[in-house]
Amino acid sequence: MLNFNYYNPTRVVFGTKTIGKVGSLAKLYGKKILLHYGGGSIKQNGVYEQVCNSLKEANLQIIELPGVVPNPHLSLVREGIELCKKEQIDLILAVGGGSVIDSAKAIAFGALLRSDEDVWDDYYMKQEYVVREAMPVGVVLTIPAAGSESSSGSVITDWEKNLKRDVGSELLIPKFAIMDPETNYTLPAYQTACGASDILAHLMERYFTLEKYNDLSDRLLESAMRNVIAYGPLALKHPKEYRYRAELMWTGTIAHNNLLDRGRVGDWASHDIEHEISGIYDIAHGAGLSIVFPAWMKYVYHTNIDRFVQFAIRVWDVSLSFDDKDDIVKVAIERLEDFYRSLDLPVRLSDANIGSENIRKMAESAMIGRTSLGNFQKLDADAIEKILKLAL
Ligand code: NZQ
Ligand code: ZN
């Protein structure tokens, strides 16, 4: 087990009818709130009204910035930065999913940069500086998926250049996250499925490590993966069943708040490759991951086949009666693909109507500003190209 340093300050307020607590939590950070949200789902399902009522009851002033879209745009981040400066905002409240939260995080540190720094060029693209300070971000989560409600990351896309990049800093971890599983009842089936796929991916990225002696993390990750595999389909089938939504929602946070990868280095190549796909084709992150992950596995599993055999046996219940390790791994990858298909997710680029036309471009773009991708196996542009071809 590697040495580690763990810090996660997000206060999680979880459960039914918890949105009413947002006012009292937000009040701890000041009087003026930037209410940041997406395309309107929160107005249709009543979350907006509950949030506003609670903020007003706490005598807080609300400035709104709606319009965040999935794969959030740099342009809205820039607008938010100017708004925060002009209005002297105290807290950014993200009400929605990963896209809204990531946009809020970008605004949170972008608003405090020096005048000679640029949020995109110097942070997301070049990773020239580390984040020095950030405004506080609070969250009302409406979709279990990205784990951004308690993660240090923010992923933004520059749609003028088709580049999707991330920044990570402990300073970006939200101060609080209100998580009411009932808000998930209105999620379209596709978003529920994409969320389950992203949660599973966060667990698998952490699972595929070269660190040998880190058994507790392995066991925790395996349990969490089994939870997604069990409850993802149930939540799809019974969208208004609280207990299924609750299982998925809490697993989503645990999967990405860094508790489950202490003492090891995870991989993350599949995420970076996926960001190239959604950065060009604007598909949902979870749908890109269900395409990339099986292909990545097929390409890298010989790097440490025993880890894949353990994954096959403990997560996918593959029988040891196969006496060939390759066969055991292949069955596990097939079960993973079947799981995605059962959620109606794409498992090949062609399932998402994506051809081979941009494969080389995506492989090269993934390497911009980086020397390699992934840790389980270090990948260069040629390797990424091969993985994407396996996904055709
Ligand atoms: O915009 P609205 O109208 O709110 O609709 C959203 C959006 O269309 C809808 N939705 C959310 N909650 C709903 C709902 N519809 C009905 N009822 C509800 N309760 O769902 C759609 C997707 O929302 P989005 O926020 O994009 O989903 P998700 O949470 O999957 O976030 C995806 C983004 O997070 C990034 C991804 O790359 C992607 O850009 N990630 C962020 C990470 C992080 N910061 O740590 C890690 C992840 O690996 C990921 O990369
Ligand atoms: Zn993800």
Side-chain angles (χ1 to χ4, degrees), residues 9 20 33 36 49 57 61 88 136 142 162-163 181 231 297 300 326 328 360-361:
I33 313 296
H36 200 31
E49 202 185 347
E57 272 168 29
Q61 194 183 338
Q88 307 245 302
T142 62
N162 286 116
L163 288 169
Y231 290 104
M297 288 181 171
V300 306
D326 278 81
I328 293 177
R360 186 67 204 173
K361 183 180 165 189

Side-chain angles (χ1 to χ4, degrees), residues 118-174:
D118 181 72
V119 67
W120 179 257
D121 294 340
D122 296 322
Y123 284 83
Y124 286 86
M125 276 316 288
K126 277 191 262 161
Q127 314 238 314
E128 183 95 359
Y129 307 109
V130 289
V131 175
R132 292 180 303 273
E133 51 180 343
M135 297 170 57
V137 171
V139 172
V140 175
L141 185 68
T142 62
I143 169 173
S148 187
E149 67 277 8
S150 185
S151 83
S152 53
S154 159
V155 190
I156 298 296
T157 302
D158 178 354
W159 282 104
E160 283 174 18
K161 301 197 186 85
N162 286 116
L163 288 169
K164 184 172 181 178
R165 288 291 186 273
D166 62 290
V167 160
S169 164
E170 277 180 0
L171 297 172
L172 302 183
I173 300 176

Side-chain angles (χ1 to χ4, degrees), residues 145-146 198-199 201-202 256 268 271 275 285 289:
D198 195 16
I199 297 168
H202 294 159
H256 205 44
W268 298 102
H271 262 70
H275 287 166
H285 174 60
L289 287 165

Side-chain angles (χ1 to χ4, degrees), residues 261-326:
D261 60 1
R262 292 309 81 193
R264 64 176 57 199
V265 176
D267 185 67
W268 298 102
S270 300
H271 262 70
D272 289 334
I273 298 171
E274 190 294 311
H275 287 166
E276 295 305 321
I277 301 177
S278 48
I280 291 187
Y281 295 98
D282 202 8
I283 63 170
H285 174 60
L289 287 165
S290 59
I291 294 168
V292 174
F293 239 114
W296 174 84
M297 288 181 171
K298 288 170 197 167
Y299 188 79
V300 306
Y301 77 87
H302 279 293
T303 300
N304 182 347
I305 195 164
D306 289 341
R307 176 141 286 271
F308 273 88
V309 169
Q310 180 179 298
F311 172 71
I313 293 166
R314 292 193 192 165
V315 179
W316 296 100
D317 297 324
V318 181
S319 160
L320 269 174
S321 59
F322 293 93
D323 35 54
D324 185 273
K325 286 183 180 177
D326 278 81

